[in-house]
Every structure is written in C-alpha cells, then in structure tokens.
Amino acid sequence: MKFAFVFPGQGSQSIGMMNGYVDLPIIQETFQEASDILKQDFWSMVNSGPVEDLNLTVNTQPLMLIAGIAVYRAWISLGGAKPALLAGHSLGEYTALVAAEVLSFADALTLVRFRAQAMQHAVPEGIGGMAAVLGLDDEIIRTVCHDITQQCNGESLEPANFNSPGQVVIAGHKNAILQGMEMAKSRGAKRAVMLPMSIPSHCSLMKPAAESMQQQLEGIALQSPKIAILHNADVKSHSDALSIKKILVQQLVSPVRWVDTIHAFAVAGMTHVIECGPGKVLIGLNKRIDQSLQQLSLIDSETIKQAVSLR
C-alpha cells in the first residue's frame, strides 16, 4: 500500500462534522489549542453553529484547517504511517503544509485567518462570484471564459477549479458569470449553477489578496517539507521556502488543478488516496478522476482505525 493524503477546503464544513471523532481526545485537544491561538471557540461553533458563522470565510478557513489537522493527529496517534505524498484542495493546501511540517500549526492558523480576510476584502460584496459548470469539456469552458471576457467590457471570467472530468468551477465578475453560464449551456453544458460564495477565488480578481499574502508570508518561517506536497497551481512539489511562498501567492490567482493532481498521484505509484478530514467531497471527485486508485475517507474514528490497519 502506497498512499497519499488529501485535505478538504471550504465547502466540506457542516455543524456536527466532528461528532464521529468524539472518542478520540486528541481531536478536542487540537480544537482547544487552535481556540487558544485565535481566541475563538471553534469547538462550540462546529457543534452548535449557527451555520451563518460556520460559513463565514474568516471562520471556515481556520475551521477546516483545524479539523484536518485534528484528524491527521488522530491518524498518527493511532499508529498510522506517514503518507508518501500530500495535497490539499485550495485552503486544504495549508493543512498539507502543517502535516508536512513546513508551517507550524500556530503560524498556519494566523495565516489562513489573514488569507480569508484578504480574500474577503479583495472584491466588494456583490461584485464577484463563482459557478459550477457540469458536463462540458475543459477546453470548451476555457473558450467560453475567454469569449465572455472579450465581450464583457472590463469584466473577467476564468476557470477556477478543475475538480473532476465534467465539473469545472468558473469565477469572476457576477455579470460575466451569468453570461458565461448561459453560453456554457448553449455549448452543451448539462447544468450551470451559481455557488453560494461572494468571493471569486482562484482568479485574477484575487490579485489584491495575493499581494497582501506575499507581504504577510515574508514574516513567516517555512521549513523544508518532510513529506512532498503537490501544489494546486502547478502540480509540482517544492522544497525551499522561497518557492513555497511563491506558489502559495500564485494559488490565489490560479485555478486549482485537482484533476491533474489525482492523475499525478497515480503516475507516482500511489495505490490509495485518503481524504483526511470530515466529509467525502474529495473522494467523490477523486473517484470520477481515476478509478484505479483506492479511495478512503477518515470521516470518523472507526474509519481511521480501519484505514490504519490496512497494510
């Protein structure tokens, strides 16, 4: 068994998502550590909500980092081996950086809180957005985005997430998205759906956030990864601090190349991909990308114990 770990990002959060792990003390200990660092009660939020708080970007990003690291620590504490490769979907890349010992947990928490605030401030509410386009070839979507950007006087539309074959998320100005959805449907898309997100992630509208992150990263110490990470923006692993900082800045304005990432795992000889964190969002995508890879999800303490016993 040669396995990679993947860490989920925004969109996997839900009230009660940690209920399946309550018999593992390290889970609540990790939440307490994070709450002490950020001076906010994340354990109460994840258990009681309200859902509006849970879904605020400035809360969701640290919350998903905490959840991913809590589950990873539980895996290690139960005797799980270190993975051969890591990746994280968007925000999940920061969870991977902590697991690879590139970033300390404390630095990662303050960094993702800053990242969320920078993303929120980059584009005023109501100006941008994101939409999922289903059942259309990637190249056609690229062409649609290009054509709409040419037509929409000063507004932009770009692919933001290549999530799985036939599922691509587009991002940009709201008017450009609405026109892009209609054009995508006219060119064969099965569906095009606006996502409940006001932040147009992973596109050029995030340039102000990328510039802020670049400055913020200058004051943070990064170590060489103990486990190789495939980064969203270029699907490569980087070993020096300068390159990692550069690729984290680039991530904000570049599409998440998830399809390429899962294919790269297969090429690297992985046999299993394990989703480390609550939910099964990534497993659903991964199964549609490469059926030769075994997919597991650590959604509760029982699944962690079962996965640890695999050899």
Side-chain angles (χ1 to χ4, degrees):
M1 178 178 172
K2 195 175 181 186
F3 64 96
F5 263 36
V6 292
F7 297 94
Q10 281 181 266
S12 290
Q13 74 277 5
S14 63
I15 291 173
M17 68 183 183
M18 305 309 292
N19 289 351
Y21 310 99
V22 289
D23 58 325
L24 301 172
I26 200 160
I27 297 288
Q28 200 161 342
E29 288 166 14
T30 302
F31 269 77
Q32 186 59 54
E33 182 186 345
S35 295
D36 290 344
I37 291 163
L38 291 183
K39 308 292 185 251
Q40 189 174 0
D41 188 350
F42 286 98
W43 189 250
S44 173
M45 187 190 298
V46 83
N47 285 303
S48 309
V51 70
E52 292 80 14
D53 287 356
L54 202 72
N55 291 337
L56 275 176
T57 295
V58 292
N59 291 330
T60 310
Q61 293 201 17
L63 185 65
M64 289 310 300
L65 172 78
I66 299 161
I69 290 304
V71 175
Y72 185 72
R73 287 177 173 179
W75 164 268
I76 297 296
S77 74
L78 290 169
K82 287 197 173 180
L85 277 172
L86 302 171
H89 192 284
S90 189
L91 176 274
E93 192 162 291
Y94 287 81
T95 320
L97 289 164
V98 177
E101 300 179 46
V102 173
L103 263 175
S104 71
F105 187 42
D107 280 348
L109 284 167
T110 55
L111 193 57
V112 298
R113 168 58 58 83
F114 178 88
R115 178 181 184 266
Q117 290 168 337
M119 291 171 74
Q120 195 82 59
H121 294 151
V123 179
E125 188 81 26
I127 298 296
M130 303 183 83
V133 179
L134 307 177
L136 202 59
D137 183 79
D138 291 356
E139 279 310 311
I140 297 175
I141 290 178
R142 286 190 180 98
T143 303
V144 166
C145 289
H146 175 267
D147 291 352
I148 292 294
T149 300
Q150 295 295 103
Q151 290 174 21
C152 283
N153 199 18
E155 296 195 341
S156 63
L157 183 64
E158 300 162 47
N161 296 8
F162 292 100
N163 281 334
S164 69
Q167 190 196 118
V168 178
V169 175
I170 56 176
H173 291 91
K174 191 166 268 184
N175 177 54
I177 292 173
L178 293 171
Q179 291 191 43
M181 289 165 68
E182 291 309 309
M183 185 181 284
K185 284 188 273 192
S186 75
R187 295 186 184 180
K190 291 178 184 173
R191 287 179 71 204
V193 188
M194 280 297 289
L195 298 177
M197 295 178 72
S198 62
I199 298 172
S201 303
H202 303 292
C203 73
S204 57
L205 290 180
M206 285 292 110
K207 277 180 183 171
E211 288 163 5
S212 296
M213 278 296 285
Q214 188 168 0
Q215 292 175 356
Q216 189 74 5
L217 280 162
E218 284 174 8
I220 292 184
L222 302 186
Q223 309 303 318
S224 293
K226 300 282 176 64
I227 307 167
I229 302 167
L230 293 184
H231 292 274
N232 289 175
D234 63 357
V235 199
K236 294 177 182 174
S237 57
H238 298 271
S239 57
D240 65 287
L242 199 61
S243 296
I244 295 170
K245 287 179 180 183
K246 191 174 177 182
I247 206 69
L248 290 177
V249 171
Q250 192 181 329
Q251 189 221 49
L252 281 167
V253 293
S254 304
V256 174
R257 293 171 56 189
W258 197 249
V259 174
D260 291 341
T261 300
I262 301 306
H263 285 322
F265 283 157
V267 170
M270 300 298 111
T271 57
H272 293 68
V273 179
I274 300 176
E275 183 171 1
C276 186
K280 294 182 176 181
V281 170
L282 297 183
I283 274 204
L285 300 178
N286 299 349
K287 283 178 177 175
R288 293 197 288 274
I289 296 168
D290 193 324
Q291 295 184 352
S292 72
L293 293 164
Q294 294 293 309
Q295 303 289 337
L296 300 169
S297 187
L298 307 181
I299 56 168
D300 53 28
S301 57
E302 196 52 45
T303 52
I304 298 174
K305 290 167 188 171
Q306 287 170 4
V308 164
S309 69
L310 292 173
R311 288 285 183 265

